[in-house]
């Protein structure tokens, strides 16, 4: 039994193709990755994020301009910056408990701009990853639990 008449299949395929093409930023991501939208432009988002992090006692260890790196390799990439940040007082006990957890630290956030000039911020739920995959106790990850709210505050409406 065929629920879709044959003459409608090409139209359905075209509709699905158009929908997929209209959402070029929808890429697969792990369940632990969280995405936020910024109310600000790309550079303003970076500045607000860095200010929020440093104001709350976190260190920005690196600011990697991935677009510039791509250009250096002769490739094009949308505006994309990766920030590595953290606080050794919070991260060191985690790494002492499980040295493999150092793969997740310092924390990372990527800021990128889509084709419609909307700015996105992606980060990994570090508490989920560290407790689930590295068996780090909630007591050790407790200080990291404030990071998502801090990121959201940095991107809050104008």
């Amino acid at each position: 039994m065929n629920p879709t008449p044959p003459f409608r299949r090409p139209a359905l395929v075209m509709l699905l193709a158009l929908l997929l093409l209209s959402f070029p930023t929808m890429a697969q991501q792990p369940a632990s990755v969280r995405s936020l939208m910024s109310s600000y432009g790309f550079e303003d988002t970076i500045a607000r994020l860095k200010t929020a992090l440093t104001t709350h006692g976190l260190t920005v260890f690196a600011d990697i301009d991935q677009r510039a790196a791509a250009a250096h390799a002769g490739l094009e990439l949308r505006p994309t910056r990766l920030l590595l940040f953290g606080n050794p007082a919070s991260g060191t006990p985690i790494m002492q408990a499980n040295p493999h957890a150092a793969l997740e630290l310092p924390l990372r956030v990527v800021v990128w701009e889509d084709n419609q000039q909307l700015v996105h911020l992606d980060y990994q739920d570090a508490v989920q990853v560290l407790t689930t995959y590295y068996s780090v106790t909630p007591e050790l990850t407790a200080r990291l639990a404030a990071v998502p709210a801090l990121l959201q505050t940095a991107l809050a409406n104008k």
Side-chain angles (χ1 to χ4, degrees):
M1 183 143 205
N2 188 353
T4 306
F7 63 89
R8 289 193 184 170
R9 281 191 210 140
L12 184 59
V13 169
M14 284 297 290
L15 176 63
L16 288 173
L18 285 173
L19 283 172
L20 288 174
L21 290 174
S22 66
F23 298 105
T25 60
M26 291 182 64
Q28 187 173 2
Q29 64 190 37
S32 62
V33 172
R34 306 290 181 255
S35 294
L36 302 172
M37 292 285 295
S38 178
S39 300
Y40 300 89
F42 186 78
E43 293 298 330
D44 287 341
T45 297
I46 296 290
R48 290 179 61 84
L49 185 56
K50 285 181 166 183
T51 298
L53 293 170
T54 57
T55 300
H56 286 85
L58 298 166
T59 301
V60 176
F61 297 110
D63 177 354
I64 302 168
D65 186 338
Q66 293 178 320
R67 182 182 201 182
H72 185 72
L75 302 169
E76 291 185 25
L77 181 65
R78 68 183 82 233
T80 306
R81 301 250 298 268
L82 176 69
L83 301 181
L84 282 70
F85 67 94
N87 182 328
S90 299
T92 301
I94 292 169
M95 292 182 282
Q96 288 171 333
N98 184 338
H100 302 291
L103 287 169
E104 307 301 332
L105 301 168
L107 301 175
R108 299 170 309 279
V109 61
V110 64
V111 178
W112 56 280
E113 185 177 86
D114 68 21
N115 295 339
Q116 290 77 39
Q117 284 73 51
L118 298 174
V119 178
H120 305 261
L121 182 145
D122 294 344
Y123 66 97
Q124 186 161 255
D125 182 342
V127 172
Q128 176 190 357
V129 170
L130 291 167
T131 57
T132 302
Y133 298 109
Y134 296 91
S135 300
V136 175
T137 65
E139 294 77 26
L140 289 177
T141 61
R143 294 177 72 179
L144 304 180
V147 171
L150 175 60
L151 298 176
Q152 290 172 350
T153 300
L155 305 182
N157 289 336
K158 299 177 183 180

Coordinates of all heavy atoms in Angstrom, one line a residue, residues 90-124:
S90 N 39.8 25.6 39.7 CA 38.7 24.7 39.5 C 39.1 23.5 38.7 O 38.7 22.4 38.9 CB 37.6 25.4 38.7 OG 37.1 26.5 39.4
G91 N 40.0 23.7 37.7 CA 40.4 22.6 36.8 C 41.4 21.7 37.4 O 41.4 20.4 37.1
T92 N 42.3 22.2 38.2 CA 43.4 21.3 38.7 C 42.9 20.1 39.5 O 43.3 19.0 39.3 CB 44.4 22.2 39.5 OG1 44.9 23.2 38.6 CG2 45.6 21.3 40.0
P93 N 41.9 20.4 40.5 CA 41.5 19.2 41.2 C 40.8 18.1 40.4 O 40.9 16.9 40.7 CB 40.4 19.8 42.2 CG 40.9 21.3 42.3 CD 41.4 21.6 41.0
I94 N 40.2 18.6 39.3 CA 39.5 17.6 38.4 C 40.6 16.8 37.7 O 40.5 15.6 37.6 CB 38.7 18.4 37.3 CG1 37.5 19.0 38.0 CG2 38.2 17.4 36.2 CD1 36.7 20.0 37.2
M95 N 41.7 17.4 37.2 CA 42.8 16.7 36.6 C 43.6 15.8 37.6 O 44.1 14.8 37.2 CB 43.7 17.7 35.9 CG 43.0 18.3 34.7 SD 44.1 19.5 33.7 CE 44.1 20.9 34.8
Q96 N 43.6 16.3 38.8 CA 44.2 15.4 39.9 C 43.4 14.1 40.1 O 44.0 13.1 40.3 CB 44.4 16.2 41.2 CG 45.4 17.3 41.1 CD 45.4 18.2 42.4 OE1 44.4 18.3 43.0 NE2 46.6 18.8 42.7
A97 N 42.1 14.3 40.0 CA 41.2 13.1 40.2 C 41.3 12.2 39.0 O 41.2 10.9 39.2 CB 39.8 13.6 40.4
N98 N 41.4 12.7 37.8 CA 41.5 11.9 36.6 C 42.3 12.6 35.6 O 41.8 13.6 34.9 CB 40.1 11.6 36.1 CG 40.1 10.7 34.9 OD1 41.1 10.5 34.2 ND2 38.9 10.0 34.6
P99 N 43.5 12.2 35.4 CA 44.4 12.9 34.4 C 43.9 13.0 33.0 O 44.1 13.9 32.3 CB 45.7 12.1 34.5 CG 45.7 11.3 35.7 CD 44.2 11.1 36.0
H100 N 43.0 12.0 32.6 CA 42.4 12.0 31.3 C 41.5 13.1 31.1 O 41.3 13.6 29.9 CB 41.7 10.7 31.0 CG 42.6 9.5 31.1 ND1 43.6 9.2 30.2 CD2 42.6 8.5 32.1 CE1 44.2 8.1 30.6 NE2 43.7 7.6 31.7
A101 N 40.9 13.6 32.1 CA 40.0 14.8 32.1 C 40.7 16.0 31.5 O 40.0 17.0 31.1 CB 39.4 15.0 33.4
A102 N 42.0 16.0 31.5 CA 42.7 17.2 31.0 C 42.4 17.4 29.5 O 42.6 18.5 29.0 CB 44.2 17.0 31.2
L103 N 41.9 16.4 28.8 CA 41.4 16.5 27.4 C 40.3 17.5 27.3 O 40.0 18.1 26.3 CB 41.1 15.2 26.8 CG 42.2 14.2 26.5 CD1 41.7 12.8 26.2 CD2 43.1 14.8 25.4
E104 N 39.5 17.7 28.4 CA 38.3 18.5 28.4 C 38.6 19.9 28.9 O 37.7 20.8 28.9 CB 37.2 17.9 29.2 CG 36.9 16.5 28.8 CD 36.5 16.3 27.3 OE1 35.9 17.3 26.7 OE2 36.7 15.3 26.7
L105 N 39.8 20.1 29.5 CA 40.2 21.4 30.1 C 41.4 22.0 29.4 O 42.3 21.2 29.1 CB 40.4 21.1 31.6 CG 39.2 20.5 32.4 CD1 39.7 20.0 33.7 CD2 38.1 21.5 32.5
P106 N 41.5 23.3 29.3 CA 40.5 24.3 29.7 C 39.2 24.1 28.9 O 39.2 23.4 27.9 CB 41.2 25.6 29.5 CG 42.3 25.3 28.4 CD 42.6 23.9 28.6
L107 N 38.2 24.8 29.4 CA 36.9 24.8 28.8 C 37.1 25.6 27.4 O 38.0 26.4 27.2 CB 35.9 25.5 29.7 CG 35.7 24.9 31.0 CD1 34.7 25.7 31.9 CD2 35.2 23.5 30.9
R108 N 36.2 25.3 26.5 CA 36.2 25.9 25.2 C 34.8 26.4 24.8 O 33.8 25.8 25.2 CB 36.6 24.8 24.1 CG 38.0 24.3 24.4 CD 38.3 23.1 23.5 NE 37.3 22.0 23.5 CZ 37.2 21.0 24.4 NH1 38.0 21.0 25.5 NH2 36.3 20.1 24.3
V109 N 34.9 27.5 24.0 CA 33.6 28.0 23.4 C 34.0 28.5 22.0 O 35.1 29.0 21.8 CB 33.1 29.2 24.3 CG1 34.0 30.3 24.4 CG2 31.7 29.6 23.7
V110 N 33.1 28.2 21.1 CA 33.4 28.6 19.7 C 32.2 29.6 19.4 O 31.1 29.4 19.7 CB 33.4 27.4 18.7 CG1 32.1 26.7 18.6 CG2 33.9 27.9 17.3
V111 N 32.7 30.7 18.8 CA 31.7 31.7 18.3 C 31.8 31.7 16.8 O 32.9 31.8 16.3 CB 32.1 33.1 18.9 CG1 31.1 34.2 18.4 CG2 32.1 33.1 20.4
W112 N 30.7 31.6 16.2 CA 30.7 31.6 14.7 C 29.5 32.3 14.1 O 28.5 32.5 14.8 CB 30.8 30.2 14.2 CG 29.7 29.3 14.7 CD1 29.6 28.6 15.9 CD2 28.5 28.9 13.9 NE1 28.5 27.9 15.9 CE2 27.8 28.0 14.8 CE3 28.0 29.2 12.7 CZ2 26.6 27.4 14.4 CZ3 26.8 28.6 12.3 CH2 26.1 27.8 13.1
E113 N 29.6 32.8 12.9 CA 28.6 33.6 12.2 C 28.0 32.7 11.1 O 28.8 32.2 10.3 CB 29.2 34.9 11.7 CG 28.2 35.8 11.1 CD 28.8 37.1 10.7 OE1 29.4 37.2 9.6 OE2 28.9 38.1 11.5
D114 N 26.7 32.6 11.0 CA 26.1 31.9 9.9 C 25.9 32.7 8.7 O 26.4 33.9 8.6 CB 24.8 31.2 10.4 CG 23.7 32.2 10.7 OD1 23.7 33.3 10.1 OD2 22.8 31.8 11.4
N115 N 25.3 32.1 7.6 CA 25.2 32.8 6.3 C 24.2 34.0 6.4 O 24.2 34.8 5.5 CB 24.7 31.8 5.3 CG 25.7 30.7 5.0 OD1 26.9 30.9 5.3 ND2 25.2 29.6 4.5
Q116 N 23.4 34.1 7.5 CA 22.5 35.2 7.6 C 23.1 36.3 8.6 O 22.4 37.1 9.1 CB 21.1 34.7 8.1 CG 20.3 34.0 7.1 CD 20.8 32.5 6.9 OE1 21.2 31.9 7.9 NE2 20.8 32.1 5.7
Q117 N 24.4 36.2 8.9 CA 25.1 37.0 9.8 C 24.5 36.9 11.3 O 24.7 37.9 12.0 CB 25.1 38.5 9.4 CG 26.1 38.8 8.2 CD 25.6 38.2 6.9 OE1 24.4 38.5 6.5 NE2 26.4 37.5 6.2
L118 N 23.9 35.8 11.6 CA 23.5 35.6 13.0 C 24.7 34.9 13.7 O 25.4 34.1 13.1 CB 22.3 34.7 13.1 CG 21.0 35.2 12.4 CD1 19.9 34.2 12.4 CD2 20.6 36.5 13.1
V119 N 24.9 35.3 14.9 CA 26.1 34.9 15.7 C 25.7 33.8 16.7 O 24.7 34.0 17.4 CB 26.8 36.0 16.4 CG1 28.0 35.6 17.2 CG2 27.2 37.1 15.3
H120 N 26.4 32.7 16.7 CA 26.2 31.6 17.5 C 27.3 31.3 18.5 O 28.5 31.6 18.1 CB 26.0 30.3 16.7 CG 24.9 30.4 15.6 ND1 23.7 29.9 15.8 CD2 25.0 31.0 14.4 CE1 22.9 30.2 14.7 NE2 23.7 30.8 13.8
L121 N 27.1 30.8 19.6 CA 28.1 30.4 20.6 C 27.8 28.9 20.9 O 26.7 28.6 21.3 CB 28.0 31.3 21.8 CG 29.0 31.1 22.9 CD1 29.4 32.4 23.5 CD2 28.5 30.1 23.9
D122 N 28.8 28.1 20.7 CA 28.6 26.7 21.1 C 29.7 26.3 22.2 O 30.8 26.8 22.1 CB 28.9 25.8 19.9 CG 27.9 25.9 18.8 OD1 26.8 26.5 19.0 OD2 28.2 25.5 17.6
Y123 N 29.2 25.5 23.1 CA 30.1 25.1 24.2 C 29.7 23.7 24.6 O 28.5 23.2 24.3 CB 30.1 26.0 25.4 CG 28.8 26.0 26.1 CD1 28.5 25.3 27.2 CD2 27.7 26.8 25.6 CE1 27.3 25.3 27.9 CE2 26.5 26.9 26.3 CZ 26.3 26.1 27.4 OH 25.1 26.1 28.1
Q124 N 30.5 23.0 25.2 CA 30.2 21.6 25.7 C 29.8 21.7 27.1 O 30.4 22.4 27.9 CB 31.5 20.7 25.5 CG 31.2 19.3 25.8 CD 32.3 18.4 25.3 OE1 32.0 17.7 24.3 NE2 33.4 18.4 25.8

